[in-house]
Each structure stands twice: as C-alpha cells, then as structure tokens.
Amino acid sequence: MQMPKPRITDVAQVAGVSTATVSRALTQPDRLSEKTRQRVFDAIRATGYRVNRAARNLRTQRAGAVLVLVPNLGNPFFSLILSSINDVFAANGYSVLVFDSQQPNAADQVVSDYLFNGSVDGVITLDGHMSPTMGETLKNADLLRNVVFCCEWSDTLLLPSIRSDNPLGARLAVDHLVALGHRKIAHVTGPSDNILARVRRSVFEERCTHHGLGIAPDWIIPGDFTLSSGARAAERLITLADRPTAVFCASDEIALSLISRAQQAGLRVPEDLSVVGFDDIEIAGHVQPALTTIRQDRALLGRMAAEELLGRLQSDPSHHAVPISFAPVELITRNTTAPPPGR
Amino acid sequence: MQMPKPRITDVAQVAGVSTATVSRALTQPDRLSEKTRQRVFDAIRATGYRVNRAARNLRTQRAGAVLVLVPNLGNPFFSLILSSINDVFAANGYSVLVFDSQQPNAADQVVSDYLFNGSVDGVITLDGHMSPTMGETLKNADLLRNVVFCCEWSDTLLLPSIRSDNPLGARLAVDHLVALGHRKIAHVTGPSDNILARVRRSVFEERCTHHGLGIAPDWIIPGDFTLSSGARAAERLITLADRPTAVFCASDEIALSLISRAQQAGLRVPEDLSVVGFDDIEIAGHVQPALTTIRQDRALLGRMAAEELLGRLQSDPSHHAVPISFAPVELITRNTTAPPPGR
DNA sequence: CTGCGCGATGTAATCGATTACATCAAGCGC
DNA sequence: GCGCTTGATGTAATCGATTACATCGCGCAG
C-alpha cells in the first residue's frame, strides 16, 4: 500500500544527476548551475523527498536540535520563555527538546546524556542546579561551551547566563513599599537552594537594613514559588503577633495565593496588607485587586538565551567568552500596594 | 585538550570483543554470557562510552523521539499535560520535542516534516487543526498510525483521540447554574474554529433549550480562551440591557479575567453574577472568590495520550483500531456561583 | 595551438551504530 | 566417536546522507 520513502539516490536518478549534486542543491544551492538546480528541485518535488535526519546528523556530526531544561513545566512562568526559545530555534531549523528537571540530579544527568550521545547540539537550562563535577566532565569533552543558563544560573559553574536584573527587581519592590510608608515588611522566599530565591532574599534584607528597618526572623517566611506555598505563608503571616503591613513575595504565584488566603481570613489588600510579587505572569493583571509586581520580560529572556546559544553553535569553537546578560526588570504598580493602615 | 568521543570500536577493543558483542550488551544483554557482559560493561565505564544516537537511529530506522504539538505554549493549561507526557516518554527512553503551533497551518507542516524526515517516531497533537489532505498524505506514507490527538481532535480526520468528556462538562456547568435558579445564562466561547469551543457551545445551547431557557443572541459572547478575551467579554456583558445572571465560560482564563473586569465595574461575584469556568487550572482555587469550574484531569490526559502513542509505537503495525478515550470531568463547586439576585 | 584555471559535477569514502549470517565450541544422543 | 543442536561470538553489509578529491569541459592568455 505505502511507497517506501524516497532516498537521495531516487532523487538523483529522477534528476539524472549524482547524489552529490542533490545534496549540494539542498545545502549549497549556489554552487550549482541554474539548470541543474532546477532539475534537482523538480525531482525532489516529484518524488516527495525529505532528507533523512539521522543520516545527515550522523554524517555532519550535528543534531540540529537543542535541549531546554525546565525546572517545572507546570509553572506558567516558564511556558512563555519556552515559547520564545522555540520561536528562535524553529526559525533557524533547529528542533527543541524539553525536559522537566523536577527530580533532583535530573538536570545533570539529562544534560550530559543528551549532549554526550549527540541528541542535541546545545542546552538551555532554566534550572540553575548543575554540579561542578558535571561541569568538569562536560568541559573535558568540550561540551560545556554549548550550555547556556537562562533565568537561573550557577554560582559555582561559570557559564553564559541570561538573567533578569534580580537585585534591581528586589530593590524596586522593597523601595516601593518603603516609599509608601511601610516599616514592617515581610518576605516570602523561594526554595532555599534556588539562586533566584537567595538573591531576592539577600537584596530584601540589604534594602531593609539600608532603610533602617528591623526584620523579625518571623518575617522571612519560607516558600517555594508555588501557589500552595503562598497560601501556607499567608496562614503563618496572619497568626503573627507583630504583623507586617507589607509583604514582598518571591513569585507572583506566591503573591496571588497569599492574597487570596489573607482575604479569606478577613484581611483587606491593600488596605491592611500590601503585597508585591515577582515575575508579572499574565494573570497578575487580571485579578482583583490587580497585582503590583516586578515584571520580567520573559519573551526577551527566552529570545536572548536562544540567540546566545545559536551564536555559540554557529561561531568558531575558539569563542570562549562567558557573557552574562541582564534583561531589564520593571516595577508594575497596580492595586495591591498602598500606604500602611493608619497613615 | 579534549579526548575524541569513544566509539563502539573503542569499547570493543578495551573489552577484547567485537563491536557486535558490545552492541548486543547494550540492546539484548541476555544473549551474552555473564562473563563477557561484565567485561563489556566494565569497558563501557572505563571509556565513558555513550551510544551515538544518530548512528543508532539511522541503522534502526527509529528516532526514539516524539513530537508534541502545542497550540499555545504560553497557556498554563497545556503545561501540565506536557509535563505528564514528558514523564511517560522519559521513563521509556524517548525524547520529547515540542512545537508551538501558533501560526496557521503550522500544525500540518510541522507534523509532516518531523514524521517524514524521521526526526520523530510519533506525534501527540494538542491542536485539533489538521487538514484532511495532510491526513491523506500521511496515510499514504503509513505515518498516520503514529499520530494521536490529545484534548482537541479533528472531526474530519479519524485518529486516536484522548479527550475530556466535554459534553458532560458543559452539561454539569449549565445544570449547576440552572439548579441554583438561574434562567438567564450567558456563554463566552472559545475560538469558533476550535472543536472544544464548538462542543461546549453546542451543549450549552442544547441544555438551555432542554431546560426551557431562552438564549438571547447577545448572550453568546465570542472569546478565544485567553485572559484578554475574558475581559472583553465582561465589558460586553456589563453593557447589556437584559443582563444574564450567570455566565458559563469556555475556559478558566476567560472566567478569571471576566470576573476581575466585572468586579471593577462594580458587579459582585457571585451575588450579582455567577461564573463557571472550564479546566480547573491551578490558580482557579487560589483567587477570591475561588472559581467554580469543570475540572479536567490534565495529568491523566497527558499520560493516557502518551501511553496510547507508546503502545502504537511498540505494537505491530497491523493494529489499526482508532480508539477514542474519554477522561472524566468533574464539577468543582467553589465560590463564584450562587442563586441569582432576588431569590 | 597549448596549457592552465576554474566552475560544475561525479566517485567513493565516511559517519557509528545494528544485525543477518557465518563460524566455532561444547554438549548430547546413539 | 560422529553428527547435530544450541549458544556465544565474530565478520561484514547496511542504514542514507555529506564531502574530499577526482574529473571534465570550457574559456582565455600566451
């Protein structure tokens, strides 16, 4: 019933040329005479030929694919980044593989698997967890030059990294609350082993100190970026004897569910409690009250990372610079922040 | 500086066996004697060997990869599905490619590209748009048997399909509102060319008729599943002279932003307006008031689709059944629905 | 007219695995 | 002891493209 797939020799036969010519028509069309080029393309159309990727990849020692490592595919923060990474690579003839790096050590394992066996030419990892020993292994095989961090990064492993200006973001958030008159500010953190969480927290503390604010230990509430951790944080916040009048959340998801839970408990936002998020996910502007937050340009982050990797894949291997690029962040003032009660 | 990647011959040399034996150690270990198998594995460890995927794929005529076509990667509804698809395939040694099928016709093009050139063994498409002519083309190459629809599907192209019980979902939503006493119910639709949108809308109309409710033309408000379309729908709803007391939204994103916009305009939810969504995305339970909605089991949908495709990839080609599986849906009653005002 | 250079095209080696088939040794029944 | 089966392993063809090198023909300078 079904025809066998046409191969390059079939096309060559139909066009009356050699396989070398067909191959050249595909990869370097200007090296052929107008006439034969036409004949080859006609033959390709006639036969319905598609180049076999595995064969091409084997011969050229390239995969034409990249891997994107996502800490949590279910998190809407990442989806838009993924989408713009996808756009850039699709436009350049690359396929995009994704992998969810939920389980610990998966990141390491997956990256090295895919790179070593040649499934992909490069990796963009949105997950900053990569062990130095893995980095060493990759470097020894000269595979490290095709790994780019996006959003997150590793302190111990020096690699190109595209990231938002997190310190600025945290500073904008805290300063905004201080400017409104808040003196008692809480912070709900991300996971303690997460680099973004650490940076945001340390800048939070630094700015509070800078403004002469005390930080009760209770006011640093551990979270993990997720909705449910935001709800839990709200429950702790509510019960505090000396309750903060504002809270800076390490992610929008934390902020949104914290608000919801706080409202359930009878607190009014922003009258009783001001809340600032981080990320500006799409829903943030579509709830009541609309969330004041720090915008990260996710599309830009994805695009920059993709272009950085693309450049490395195409440039000559001696290119050894390790750039760190910062994407701008911006305070988006909406309706979850106001002066503290009694002012 | 860097060693060349070890090949199978290197392993063979170290182990003192032939390449055939090494290959067998990897793919059918029980065909080797205990002793040689050990020797081979030792050699593999010693050399740091990884099989070259391109070579294996070329020889075996398989890709060890599948493609997932996502209508909109930025939409959180899809991310969890993607995640569970990823889990199933990762556990079975397959890679997962994703492609965002935003632009029209991309679906067709991408699916046929990837299948024809052997980049992937199969496709799960979350996008129901596939032209019958493309289906024909694929069928002629016997590639159609490795395509599975998930969530969405095509009316004109008979393919295995994993989907939620959408008619039931829509029925539960409408009946719930009717049971609360609503007689004037609006519906915000998805895109008119979307199969889910069409089903949900038609069941909505059917149930309204069944309950003897009139539907003013104004009460069917076009949307496209997105947040911004929900806000637009709210604006239209607000201005209606004969305003419905309840609205059934084709997606949670529509519902959430509709609520937000309606609240901004001074309407209270659920006192003045009841709202039911569809999907039960994670945030739905983490806003105030929490969204009443129809839950789709996204993880299950993804898993079922992945397992269906996996089965087809592994089963013998004579397997020609075209199953349609329905995942259960469930009404999640939260706080955006109540009896109509004045009751 | 000769020879050289150059552009267009063909020939055949090559990428790195898998696997059909060949070979070999050991075990077994008679 | 012989022939046959069976299990373990080796030899070499093969998958389908790319590309280094060879070849060919043509135009042009000398």
Side-chain angles (χ1 to χ4, degrees):
Chain A
M1 184 57 85
Q2 74 275 17
M3 311 280 275
K5 284 191 199 167
R7 293 157 308 165
I8 198 171
T9 54
D10 301 323
V11 177
Q13 212 150 41
V14 170
V17 297
S18 73
T19 63
T21 301
V22 176
S23 177
R24 280 190 280 256
L26 260 21
T27 57
Q28 13 188 358
D30 30 332
R31 297 188 69 82
L32 295 190
S33 75
E34 173 62 26
K35 206 180 53 180
T36 33
R37 197 187 321 142
Q38 269 315 319
R39 272 230 305 282
V40 172
F41 283 133
D42 289 346
I44 289 176
R45 231 165 294 127
T47 52
Y49 171 76
R50 310 286 180 106
V51 336
N52 179 310
R53 284 295 176 161
R56 167 178 286 181
N57 292 348
L58 173 57
R59 180 59 228 232
T60 58
Q61 303 286 64
R62 299 170 355 96
V66 298
L67 173 70
V68 181
L69 206 62
V70 184
N72 176 4
L73 264 175
N75 184 330
F77 175 72
F78 294 114
S79 39
L80 189 57
I81 296 176
L82 195 53
S83 171
S84 76
I85 290 175
N86 183 71
D87 289 347
V88 172
F89 282 110
N92 285 274
Y94 281 81
S95 308
V96 175
L97 314 209
V98 300
F99 202 95
D100 190 327
S101 64
Q102 289 281 7
Q103 55 279 63
N105 292 328
D108 275 13
Q109 200 47 53
V110 168
V111 167
S112 84
D113 271 1
Y114 278 76
L115 278 176
F116 267 113
N117 71 23
S119 299
V120 301
D121 299 319
V123 174
I124 293 179
T125 171
L126 310 188
D127 183 334
H129 298 89
M130 189 180 300
S131 71
T133 70
M134 180 54 58
E136 209 48 47
T137 311
L138 287 174
K139 185 182 291 176
N140 290 340
D142 198 35
L143 290 171
L144 204 55
R145 29 170 285 100
N146 296 334
V147 178
V148 171
F149 279 116
C150 179
C151 297
E152 301 187 3
W153 67 95
S154 164
D155 266 344
T156 53
L157 197 56
L158 199 67
L159 282 180
S161 161
I162 314 295
R163 51 179 96 158
S164 287
D165 190 341
N166 283 277
L168 175 59
R171 185 153 68 79
L172 289 172
V174 176
D175 290 3
H176 169 62
L177 292 171
V178 171
L180 285 169
H182 293 274
R183 309 283 302 166
K184 302 195 295 189
I185 306 177
H187 176 51
V188 183
T189 71
S192 59
D193 63 347
N194 181 283
I195 187 83
L196 299 173
R198 289 209 300 268
V199 168
R200 290 171 196 172
R201 173 184 172 155
S202 80
V203 172
F204 165 78
E205 293 174 343
E206 174 196 314
R207 292 310 290 176
C208 284
T209 307
H210 172 266
H211 289 297
L213 312 184
I215 309 178
D218 280 349
W219 296 354
I220 305 262
I221 305 176
D224 61 6
F225 291 144
T226 65
L227 288 165
S228 49
S229 80
R232 279 195 304 276
E235 282 154 19
R236 292 185 51 168
L237 196 65
I238 290 160
T239 61
L240 291 182
D242 187 16
R243 183 151 46 73
T245 58
V247 52
F248 165 44
C249 300
S251 79
D252 280 355
E253 299 212 311
I254 291 176
L256 292 172
S257 61
L258 180 143
I259 291 171
S260 168
R261 194 71 195 72
Q263 287 174 331
Q264 268 185 316
L267 282 184
R268 290 166 309 157
V269 174
E271 294 81 357
D272 301 324
L273 182 70
S274 285
V275 179
V276 181
F278 206 111
D279 291 345
D280 194 28
I281 60 177
E282 206 187 354
I283 187 87
H286 291 273
V287 290
Q288 283 304 314
L291 183 66
T292 294
T293 188
I294 303 297
R295 171 175 296 168
Q296 296 197 61
D297 191 337
R298 297 183 287 154
L300 179 63
L301 284 164
R303 185 148 34 83
M304 285 172 72
E307 280 164 0
E308 174 67 32
L309 180 55
L310 207 52
R312 302 189 134 242
L313 294 181
Q314 291 168 351
S315 84
D316 78 300
S318 64
H319 183 262
H320 273 313
V322 178
I324 297 181
S325 310
F326 290 91
V329 295
E330 188 185 354
L331 172 71
I332 305 293
T333 309
R334 296 203 184 93
N335 308 319
T336 55
T337 48
R343 241 184 88 124
Chain B
M1 182 57 84
Q2 74 275 16
M3 312 279 273
K5 284 190 199 168
R7 293 159 307 164
I8 198 170
T9 54
D10 301 323
V11 178
Q13 213 149 42
V14 170
V17 298
S18 72
T19 63
T21 301
V22 177
S23 177
R24 280 190 281 256
L26 260 21
T27 56
Q28 13 187 356
D30 31 332
R31 297 188 69 80
L32 294 191
S33 74
E34 173 62 28
K35 205 182 53 183
T36 34
R37 198 188 319 143
Q38 269 315 320
R39 271 232 306 283
V40 172
F41 282 134
D42 288 347
I44 288 177
R45 232 166 291 127
T47 53
Y49 171 75
R50 311 284 181 107
V51 335
N52 179 310
R53 284 295 176 162
R56 168 178 283 182
N57 292 349
L58 173 58
R59 180 59 228 229
T60 59
Q61 305 284 65
R62 299 171 355 95
V66 299
L67 173 69
V68 181
L69 207 62
V70 184
N72 176 5
L73 265 175
N75 184 330
F77 175 72
F78 294 114
S79 39
L80 189 57
I81 297 175
L82 194 53
S83 172
S84 76
I85 290 175
N86 184 72
D87 289 347
V88 172
F89 282 109
N92 285 274
Y94 282 81
S95 308
V96 175
L97 313 210
V98 299
F99 203 96
D100 190 326
S101 63
Q102 289 281 10
Q103 54 281 61
N105 293 329
D108 276 12
Q109 200 48 54
V110 167
V111 168
S112 83
D113 271 1
Y114 279 75
L115 278 176
F116 267 112
N117 70 23
S119 298
V120 300
D121 298 320
V123 175
I124 292 178
T125 172
L126 309 189
D127 183 334
H129 298 90
M130 189 180 299
S131 71
T133 70
M134 181 52 61
E136 208 49 47
T137 311
L138 287 174
K139 184 181 293 175
N140 290 339
D142 198 34
L143 290 172
L144 204 54
R145 30 172 284 100
N146 296 335
V147 179
V148 171
F149 280 116
C150 179
C151 297
E152 301 187 3
W153 67 93
S154 164
D155 266 345
T156 53
L157 199 54
L158 199 67
L159 282 181
S161 161
I162 314 295
R163 51 180 96 157
S164 286
D165 191 340
N166 284 277
L168 175 59
R171 185 152 69 79
L172 289 172
V174 175
D175 290 2
H176 169 62
L177 292 171
V178 171
L180 286 169
H182 293 275
R183 308 284 301 166
K184 300 194 298 188
I185 306 177
H187 177 50
V188 183
T189 71
S192 59
D193 64 347
N194 181 283
I195 188 82
L196 299 173
R198 288 210 300 268
V199 169
R200 290 171 195 171
R201 172 184 172 156
S202 80
V203 172
F204 165 78
E205 292 175 343
E206 175 195 314
R207 292 310 289 176
C208 284
T209 307
H210 172 267
H211 289 297
L213 313 184
I215 311 177
D218 279 350
W219 296 356
I220 305 264
I221 305 177
D224 61 7
F225 291 142
T226 65
L227 288 165
S228 50
S229 80
R232 280 195 302 276
E235 281 154 18
R236 291 185 53 168
L237 197 65
I238 291 160
T239 61
L240 291 181
D242 187 16
R243 183 150 46 73
T245 58
V247 52
F248 166 44
C249 300
S251 79
D252 280 356
E253 300 212 309
I254 290 176
L256 292 172
S257 61
L258 180 143
I259 292 169
S260 168
R261 193 70 194 72
Q263 288 173 331
Q264 267 185 319
L267 283 184
R268 291 166 308 157
V269 174
E271 294 81 355
D272 300 324
L273 182 70
S274 285
V275 180
V276 181
F278 207 112
D279 291 346
D280 194 28
I281 59 177
E282 206 187 354
I283 186 86
H286 292 273
V287 290
Q288 285 302 317
L291 183 66
T292 294
T293 188
I294 304 298
R295 171 175 296 167
Q296 296 196 61
D297 191 335
R298 296 183 288 155
L300 179 62
L301 285 164
R303 183 148 37 82
M304 285 172 73
E307 281 164 359
E308 173 67 33
L309 180 55
L310 207 51
R312 302 190 134 240
L313 294 181
Q314 290 169 350
S315 83
D316 79 300
S318 64
H319 184 262
H320 273 315
V322 178
I324 297 181
S325 309
F326 289 91
V329 295
E330 189 185 352
L331 173 70
I332 306 293
T333 309
R334 297 202 184 93
N335 308 320
T336 56
T337 48
R343 241 183 89 124

